[in-house]
Amino acid sequence: MKDYQLRIVHDHLQRGQSIVLPQLHRVVFCRQGRLRLTANGSVTELRTDEAAYTGINAELESLEDGSVCWRWELEAVDDAIDSDTGPQPGGTSDVKGIYPLPALQDGMKYALRCDRVSFPPGGEALTHTHAAAGVRCAHTGEIFIDSMGHQWTAKPGDTWLERGPDSVYAKAWDQGPMNFVRVMLVPETHYGRSTISYVLPEDQDRPKSQQYQRFLEQPVELQ
């Protein structure tokens, strides 16, 4: 199995501006506004807080001023290419991170899952691991993260990788609700179900403050 990485890009587009996207396994999330995704004659319109998958050449167009797209692109490290042609003049595309993923298991099938994790003010994710690696992007509010001896605070637009087996504790700020959007590469053993496991036995049955909204889960063919 090849080595893979997840790239996350933020696009800011005005009405009528478009981006040509090369063939990659890709999740497109409409952070704000309205977008049209066209691929092989199939058209998908996305409004705020909607997501879609495409694995072929596609075009992304803004249908109103001030549209913001977050997109996650899965690519083999050795086959990495420029992610797109960039928007037409007046728009911007910012690469927010390119994150190498842990080695994949030979013979295992995988799916790209996009979901949102939400916390009430002061909510926490008790110390945990995941059965899948993924890249998060803070959507609303702030969250403190403690993992493997490193601590940091993620603010709206910040991105980070959680590798999966590394233990993580997270706590949302107390000034309001917090949520982040993530895309994970999920092994077939966890299709359709949670990837989280709690490190401390006493946390297994404790009430959990986070809530989940799943946007899509798309099986992908990897080499």
Side-chain angles (χ1 to χ4, degrees):
M1 186 79 75
K2 294 182 177 180
D3 292 328
Y4 282 84
Q5 61 190 21
L6 264 177
R7 177 204 316 262
I8 180 168
V9 182
H10 290 183
D11 305 305
H12 298 261
L13 304 170
Q14 302 304 310
R15 184 191 302 269
Q17 290 181 327
S18 62
I19 305 172
V20 175
L21 303 172
Q23 180 173 334
L24 282 175
H25 296 298
R26 178 182 287 109
V27 172
V28 175
F29 176 77
C30 185
R31 172 63 179 86
Q32 177 180 304
R34 194 156 58 99
L35 302 167
R36 176 186 291 134
L37 183 67
T38 304
N40 196 27
S42 176
V43 177
T44 302
E45 290 195 5
L46 300 173
R47 297 180 181 272
T48 301
D49 291 347
E50 294 180 340
Y53 163 84
T54 180
I56 57 178
N57 296 329
E59 182 179 11
L60 180 69
E61 179 185 1
S62 174
L63 299 179
E64 61 182 54
D65 288 339
S67 293
V68 179
C69 172
W70 292 354
R71 50 190 166 92
W72 286 256
E73 299 174 331
L74 179 68
E75 60 186 357
V77 173
D78 291 341
D79 300 333
I81 59 175
D82 291 336
S83 67
D84 51 63
T85 61
Q88 296 171 352
T92 62
S93 290
D94 299 320
V95 177
K96 304 296 287 186
I98 301 175
Y99 297 97
L101 301 180
L104 305 185
Q105 182 176 332
D106 287 337
M108 180 72 73
K109 296 180 180 179
Y110 290 87
L112 281 174
R113 176 187 297 172
C114 179
D115 63 1
R116 178 163 51 201
V117 184
S118 301
F119 297 85
E124 59 182 349
L126 303 173
T127 304
H128 63 278
T129 62
H130 282 281
V135 173
R136 281 80 168 153
C137 185
H139 183 280
T140 301
E142 300 180 11
I143 191 165
F144 168 79
I145 303 163
D146 185 346
S147 179
M148 306 299 290
H150 300 283
Q151 298 86 32
W152 71 97
T153 297
K155 300 179 180 181
D158 289 347
T159 68
W160 69 98
L161 169 72
E162 291 187 17
R163 290 169 35 85
D166 301 338
S167 61
V168 178
Y169 169 82
K171 183 176 178 62
W173 68 342
D174 59 7
Q175 299 181 41
M178 189 280 162
N179 64 71
F180 59 81
V181 179
R182 67 182 176 187
V183 169
M184 308 173 75
L185 189 59
V186 179
E188 60 183 329
T189 53
H190 285 74
Y191 283 5
R193 65 188 186 92
S194 176
T195 61
I196 198 168
S197 296
Y198 292 95
V199 172
L200 302 177
E202 59 268 29
D203 287 343
Q204 302 297 328
D205 297 324
R206 287 180 59 186
K208 310 302 189 297
S209 59
Q210 68 267 40
Q211 296 184 333
Y212 304 90
Q213 179 184 1
R214 187 171 301 173
F215 298 110
L216 62 84
E217 183 170 282
Q218 174 66 45
V220 293
E221 293 289 337
L222 303 179
Q223 298 180 343

